[in-house]
Each structure stands twice: as structure tokens, then as C-alpha cells.
Amino acid sequence: CVTVDPVDARDFDDAVGARRLEGGGYELDVHIADVTHYVSPDSPVDNEAKRRTCSAYLVDRVIPMLPERLSNEVCSLVPGEDRLAMSVLMRLDERGRVRGFSATPSAIRSAARLDYDAVDAVLSGASRPEELPCAPGDVERVFLMLETLDEIRGLRELERRSRGAIDFESVEARVRLDEEGRPTGVSVRRRTRATGLIEEAMLLAN
């Protein structure tokens, strides 16, 4: 499995994995960092997290829902480290329809920390798989997995459209700051194949 996030992300709370099945169809795995192993119900950390309800993303900082030692370190699905997760393991047919699933506690080890730009570049052919930030022995497997995730994305988008789903195209604006914290411009991130493959995996897990 791998994580795919914005290039400036600091906490990696979900990972994905996929493979084609010999008889047709796919296996799709979605892993969510298991915070509950470290935060027990009604503990001080849990009660403070409930009070905050979510992390707040400001222009120049993040006010986290959980202590950064947890969200950015202990629970973060960093590559090459064993991490606890809750996993949804799904079996899809050749049209991307769910044919079975299980949800289970797991221990995973991410093969790479990828960002949307790098994944889009590899999928479009603008960069070579060897440029992906993973161990040389994992390059081929990671690239094949990204292609498989992209296939699933396309199939799931077709499936949803065939059911009459409405797709709202949205963009995410981000203010750029200089070293002194002064605004220097605004960048806009639009939906791409890389963001889409993560969106579809999360929709399926939900």
C-alpha cells in the first residue's frame, strides 16, 4: 500500500492498495490510521478531540484535533514503518462493482509516501516510474498498483454516472506565503486522476 496526499501534508492518515485478480476483477484495500488504539474513550485526549471536532487548517498553520505527537508521528502511516490501522478489504468485479468486503484491524507498512502531482505525472507519462520516491525494488509494483487504482477510479466514475449521480466540480484555493508569512499569491488545485483515485477508494470504503 501507499499514501497519496498533497505535497505539503504532514500527517498521513489513510493508505490504499490494489491488485488485479487473475480471473478478472480487482482487490482494493483502504487502510485508516487506528487512533483508537492510543486514545481510549473519555480520556482527556478523547474529550479534547471531541471538543475540537476536527483539525482547523489555516493559511499558515494547522490547529490539530489530536496532539501532533499522535497525528504526525505515532499514528501517521509513514513509509517503511509498521503502523496500526483499520482496513476495509474489498473485492470488485471487472466493472468495478463491489462483490464482497471485510473490515478488520490490521498492521500495515506503507511502501511509499506519494503526492498528487507525482502520481499525476507518472500516470500521464510526464515522468518515469523510476522517479517515484520508493525503494528501487518496489518501483514496478507501486507503478502497477497506481495503474490499477486509476482503472478502478475510471470504472467507479462510470458506475456512478450510470446511476444518475451528479458530480460537482470544485477547486481548492491555497494562499502562498513568503518566509515572513506575507501573502505572495494564490494557487488552485483542481480534481485530477490522482485525487480522483483516492476519492473513489474512500467512497467505496465508506
Side-chain angles (χ1 to χ4, degrees), residues 4-184:
V4 186
D5 295 279
V7 68
D8 56 353
R10 289 185 295 173
D11 60 323
F12 314 122
D13 54 9
D14 56 72
V16 292
R19 63 204 61 83
R20 299 183 185 95
L21 300 176
E22 286 187 12
Y26 308 87
E27 281 185 352
L28 172 65
D29 305 333
V30 174
H31 311 284
I32 309 297
D34 185 7
V35 178
T36 62
H37 182 81
Y38 303 95
V39 181
S40 54
D42 291 322
S43 64
V45 173
D46 182 45
N47 290 332
E48 178 64 17
K50 286 186 283 191
R51 189 181 72 81
R52 296 186 179 203
T53 70
C54 64
S55 297
Y57 292 83
L58 306 179
V59 173
D60 61 343
R61 74 197 70 181
V62 177
I63 302 173
M65 181 177 70
L66 295 167
E68 288 192 30
R69 180 74 192 278
L70 279 178
S71 59
N72 290 7
E73 297 177 31
V74 177
C75 296
S76 189
L77 306 180
V78 294
E81 298 285 343
D82 292 341
R83 289 291 189 264
L84 298 177
M86 289 298 296
S87 298
V88 182
L89 314 175
M90 294 163 274
R91 186 176 291 265
L92 313 178
D93 65 17
E94 61 279 355
R95 290 176 55 185
R97 297 172 299 187
V98 178
R99 290 300 181 229
F101 72 92
S102 62
T104 181
S106 63
I108 68 164
R109 179 178 287 197
S110 171
R113 177 268 192 269
L114 306 178
D115 63 78
Y116 293 128
D117 293 340
V119 172
D120 278 321
V122 166
L123 290 176
S124 68
S127 68
R128 295 176 295 113
E130 292 77 15
E131 296 177 50
L132 290 170
C134 55
D138 289 333
V139 168
E140 187 176 345
R141 286 188 300 164
V142 168
F143 177 60
L144 180 60
M145 185 171 60
L146 292 174
E147 287 190 318
T148 304
L149 287 163
D150 192 44
E151 282 182 26
I152 294 171
R153 172 202 58 78
L155 291 169
R156 290 304 304 173
E157 288 177 354
L158 284 173
E159 177 72 11
R160 285 192 295 103
R161 280 199 290 270
S162 73
R163 297 201 310 262
I166 300 173
D167 206 358
F168 295 96
E169 205 50 61
S170 61
V171 297
E172 181 180 340
R174 208 175 169 81
V175 177
R176 293 192 302 269
L177 304 176
D178 64 17
E179 293 178 358
E180 296 180 3
R182 291 181 300 219
T184 60

